[in-house]
Amino acid sequence: QIDVKYVPKKCLSKELQEKGERYYQYTAIDEYSRYRYIWFTNAHDTYASTEFIERVVKAFPFKIKKVQTDNGFEFTNRLSWKAFEKEKKTMFENKLEELGIEYKCIKPHTPKQNGKVERSHRKDQERFYYERVFVSFEDFKEKLRHWNREYNNFPIKPLGWKSPNEKYKEFQAL
C-alpha cells in the first residue's frame, strides 16, 4: 500500500511557513510484514510518485508484485473529469508497468481499503509529528529517517508482538 501524508504546517518553523514551504511524506508499507519505507519531498505530483516507486523497489528487501493506492492525481488519472485524461496513464502508472508491478486503485472515498498505510500515518501523527518543529528540509529528512527505523523495529500486536523487521526476517527464513 502506498499513500502520501501532508506534513502538518504547525511542524514547520515560522521561517519555513513564511516561505510557503510544504513537505510531504510518501509511505509504502508491505501488507504482510508491515515493513515500511518512507520518503520525504517538497513535491506532490506524479513525478514525485514515480521517483518514490523507483526508490521503494531499491529499498524494499523483497520483490514487489503489486501496489495499491488511493485515486489521487499523483498516482492515477482514473477519476479525472476530463474524458481524454481518464485513459491516459500517469508517469507513475507507466513506471509500474515498466517494472512489471501490478497496480490496483482502491474504491473512491474508502480509505479503509488502504488501512495499513493509513494506520501508519496515524501513528506518525501521534508519535512523530506531535510537538515537533522542523527548521529545514534536511532537519525534517534526518528526523523522519530515524523515526522510520524505530517504526520498523517496534513490536506490534497484529504481528504477534514482533516488529516488521522481525516478521520480514522470519518470512525470509522460510
Side-chain angles (χ1 to χ4, degrees), residues 84-99:
F84 70 92
E85 278 188 4
K86 280 185 176 187
E87 302 303 317
K88 186 178 176 191
K89 289 184 179 179
T90 62
M91 281 181 65
F92 177 77
E93 291 170 307
N94 286 329
K95 179 54 73 174
L96 289 174
E97 195 172 284
E98 178 186 313
L99 294 169

Side-chain angles (χ1 to χ4, degrees), residues 12 29 39 57 83 106 124 130-131 133 153-155 158:
L12 304 180
I29 191 165
W39 179 61
V57 167
I106 63 173
D124 294 337
Y130 181 75
E131 293 192 8
V133 175
N153 286 300
F154 191 82

Side-chain angles (χ1 to χ4, degrees), residues 30-35 116 159 167-168 170-171 174:
D30 175 53
E31 288 194 32
Y32 175 75
S33 68
R34 307 298 204 281
Y35 183 84
K116 290 173 182 70
L159 298 179
K167 193 66 173 176
Y168 164 69
E170 181 182 282
F171 177 72
L174 294 177

Side-chain angles (χ1 to χ4, degrees), residues 7 12-13 16 21-25 39-43 134-144:
V7 174
L12 304 180
S13 68
L16 292 175
E21 292 285 322
R22 284 298 315 224
Y23 296 153
Y24 306 92
Q25 172 188 321
W39 179 61
F40 357 91
T41 183
N42 54 6
F134 309 110
V135 295
S136 69
F137 188 60
E138 297 308 314
D139 178 44
F140 168 59
K141 285 181 9 179
E142 184 64 22
K143 288 177 179 170
L144 196 56

